[in-house]
Amino acid sequence: MKEICILGLGYIGLPTASTLAVNGFKVHGVDIDPTIVEKLNDGGTHVEEPGLSTVLSAALCSGNLVVSSVPKQADVYIIAVPTPIKEENKADLSCIENAARSIIPLLKKGDIVILESTSPPGTCLGFLKPLLEESGLEMGVDCYLAYCPERVLPGNIVNELSLNNRIIGGINQASAEQAKKIYETFVCGEIHLTCSTTAEMVKLMENSYRDVNIALANELAMVSHDLGINAWDVVRLANLHPRVNLHLPGPGVGGHCISVDPWFIIEKFPQSTALIRQARMVNDEMPSFVCCEIDKKVGHLGPIKLTILGLSYKANVNDIRESPALKIFNRLRCNPNYQIALHDPHVSSTEYPLYDLETACRDSDCIVLVTDHKEFRQIRPSHLSCWVKRKILIDTRNLFNKQEWLDHGFDFTLIGAGV
Ligand code: SAJ
């Protein structure tokens, strides 16, 4: 059984390391953040994912998963570090570069290097291959190099890691085949081999497709608002067509994937990507659209208390990266008339004014639902009626039953519905 060293123990690296370890591999997990290493070694985890703590503790208890901050010599290296965007929406490959540099002294003939981090097209061939060849080994001949994009959905990562189909793009056929030998030990879905640049584009197009589709739904929300119709009804009815799959409108697109990845294509091909760029702009505008609706509703009331329900970028996760709720909060807090209280049952942070549900809603003049956590479905108008000062509710996700709130005397606004 080959030994595997995984660089980056975040949303992807940690579940992958745990899964490989419970499948019998000796796995060395590496993270440069000492607090993450310490927490994992203490039996905790910094990633909230259903099923992760179970597979993680099984991996650690078996002795197959060892975690530290320094890479160790292995037969397979999997790079799963972040690729954020820096100024001008360009990809920041410094984490990939640092991870690759840390394994150069360890590389030996026959090793396999696999990149999982989402990257601009051409990263494997044009960036990683020459970098790793500073070891004196020829990639594709002495060692193997492949791009294997992760495609798991935050909130269902542990299941999708083994169930999803996988794309493996080698810098040559031998590299793709070597990487396949690792993934076929735990992937139940189909494994498709291709070249590394195709695999890089597959990953980016999956998320760009979703971004463009959501932008279409968000444009529909803005049009519906002016038309006096309900965008959610339009989506539901249009999707009855056998070849239509409109996504849903909302307060904007967050997370570290869909709101970031399209820029990796735009960066390389600015002249040919007008549609992808426009979709990014439409989705980035949605938090402002929501704020304008809030201002229209309560801006004239003078000093008031606003309650935002949900801070994470989507339902049932604790990730606040690029969250539309944060953008809405940051914009509203600029208005000196707004005192803002946040509530999110999944997020704990000392940086933001987070409270329990009752404290956040008590004496509130307006409640804004931004993230559709499952816990919020339990909120009944009778609870809020006892706590709030004014019965004004704005729903950005179509989570609540409008009639129920109207029946309790609430002024109810659904973003994307003019009626
Ligand atoms: N959103 C909408 N309307 C929708 C669907 C989503 O406004 O109809 C919003 C969400 O609220 C959220 C954002 O879009 O703010 C993104 O959420 P998501 O659930 O669509 O996607 P992510 O970013 O959590 O995960 C995506 C997934 N990609 C696809 O479904 C094509 C996942 O499979 C990828 O592995 C992941 O990106 C990634 O790591 O790239």
Side-chain angles (χ1 to χ4, degrees):
M1 207 68 159
K2 289 181 184 299
E3 285 197 26
I4 301 181
C5 179
I6 300 204
L7 300 111
L9 295 176
Y11 288 85
I12 302 304
L14 185 60
T16 306
S18 309
T19 303
L20 286 164
V22 295
N23 277 278
F25 286 100
K26 288 275 175 215
V27 181
H28 188 79
V30 181
D31 204 289
I32 54 162
D33 184 339
T35 57
I36 290 180
V37 172
E38 197 181 325
K39 191 158 195 177
L40 292 170
N41 281 326
D42 286 347
T45 166
H46 57 296
V47 177
E48 183 196 312
E49 265 301 320
L52 178 60
S53 50
T54 311
V55 66
L56 174 63
S57 41
L60 290 167
C61 289
S62 70
N64 278 352
L65 175 61
V66 175
V67 173
S68 84
S69 50
V70 192
K72 185 177 165 283
Q73 192 155 53
D75 309 300
V76 182
Y77 298 90
I78 299 181
I79 300 177
V81 296
T83 38
I85 40 175
K86 49 186 180 184
E87 326 77 67
E88 293 169 0
N89 296 315
K90 300 266 196 300
D92 177 356
L93 300 184
S94 59
C95 293
I96 296 184
E97 179 173 354
N98 293 339
R101 287 203 182 283
S102 73
I103 60 169
I104 287 175
L106 308 175
L107 276 183
K108 57 185 185 332
K109 264 195 163 197
D111 284 353
I112 309 168
V113 180
I114 297 168
L115 178 65
E116 285 219 12
S117 315
T118 308
S119 307
T123 299
C124 267
L125 273 176
F127 180 77
L128 204 47
K129 181 176 182 289
L131 185 62
L132 292 169
E133 287 181 346
E134 289 179 18
S135 63
L137 294 158
E138 190 180 346
M139 300 310 290
V141 178
D142 300 321
C143 293
Y144 306 99
L145 173 60
Y147 181 66
C148 305
E150 59 78 14
R151 305 158 96 195
V152 287
L153 191 72
N156 195 26
I157 289 181
V158 175
N159 290 328
E160 292 202 1
L161 213 51
S162 15
L163 295 177
N164 283 2
N165 298 334
R166 226 46 224 221
I167 309 297
I168 299 184
I171 59 160
N172 58 1
Q173 185 66 20
S175 292
E177 278 163 11
Q178 289 296 326
K180 184 181 177 198
K181 288 185 189 162
I182 307 302
Y183 287 92
E184 67 190 3
T185 60
F186 69 96
V187 170
C188 313
E190 294 162 15
I191 297 181
H192 298 270
L193 303 191
T194 183
C195 74
S196 58
T197 308
T198 299
E200 287 158 353
M201 274 309 280
V202 168
K203 168 70 193 177
L204 296 175
M205 283 311 291
E206 288 167 357
N207 282 351
S208 299
Y209 157 78
R210 209 159 161 78
D211 199 40
V212 171
N213 199 329
I214 297 168
L216 197 58
N218 282 332
E219 276 196 351
L220 165 68
M222 290 184 272
V223 170
S224 300
H225 209 267
D226 291 345
L227 259 182
I229 60 169
N230 184 323
W232 308 83
D233 286 343
V234 176
V235 171
R236 181 174 53 82
L237 295 170
N239 283 350
L240 296 176
H241 186 289
R243 287 174 296 282
V244 173
N245 176 27
L246 275 173
H247 288 8
L248 296 174
V253 170
H256 189 60
C257 311
I258 296 188
S259 64
V260 172
D261 298 357
W263 289 114
F264 293 178
I265 311 177
I266 301 168
E267 166 191 343
K268 294 279 175 185
F269 302 97
Q271 304 304 329
S272 340
T273 47
L275 178 62
I276 301 176
R277 178 189 292 273
Q278 187 59 30
R280 275 286 67 245
M281 282 153 69
V282 169
N283 289 333
D284 275 351
E285 262 310 297
M286 285 312 286
S288 299
F289 181 74
V290 172
C291 289
C292 287
E293 292 311 307
I294 296 170
D295 288 340
K296 274 191 224 160
K297 196 50 84 185
V298 296
H300 59 285
L301 295 176
I304 56 161
K305 177 176 174 184
L306 281 170
T307 306
I308 295 180
L309 297 181
L311 194 60
S312 64
Y313 81 95
K314 70 171 189 179
N316 312 323
V317 298
N318 66 351
D319 190 345
I320 59 170
R321 291 176 297 174
E322 318 297 329
S323 174
L326 269 185
K327 291 180 187 150
I328 291 170
F329 168 67
N330 283 326
R331 176 154 162 199
L332 293 175
R333 82 205 294 198
C334 297
N335 185 331
N337 275 336
Y338 295 158
Q339 180 216 333
I340 304 165
L342 303 167
H343 169 66
D344 191 309
H346 293 261
V347 176
S348 56
S349 161
T350 47
E351 219 180 303
Y352 301 101
L354 282 157
Y355 302 95
D356 63 80
L357 180 64
E358 182 178 340
T359 312
C361 295
R362 196 162 277 290
D363 297 325
S364 183
D365 295 276
C366 175
I367 312 260
V368 186
L369 181 286
V370 183
T371 313
D372 46 348
H373 291 310
K374 58 183 183 310
E375 291 84 351
F376 296 156
R377 292 183 192 278
Q378 312 308 324
I379 299 176
R380 298 272 75 85
S382 50
H383 296 141
L384 289 198
S385 297
C386 305
W387 299 335
V388 298
K389 186 154 130 208
R390 284 191 173 92
K391 291 182 174 182
I392 302 176
L393 177 61
I394 299 177
D395 180 355
T396 69
R397 297 278 188 174
N398 199 22
L399 182 91
F400 292 125
N401 178 328
K402 179 177 177 176
Q403 197 53 50
E404 190 186 357
W405 292 86
L406 292 179
D407 291 346
H408 283 78
F410 272 78
D411 175 336
F412 184 95
T413 304
L414 172 61
I415 295 293
V419 282

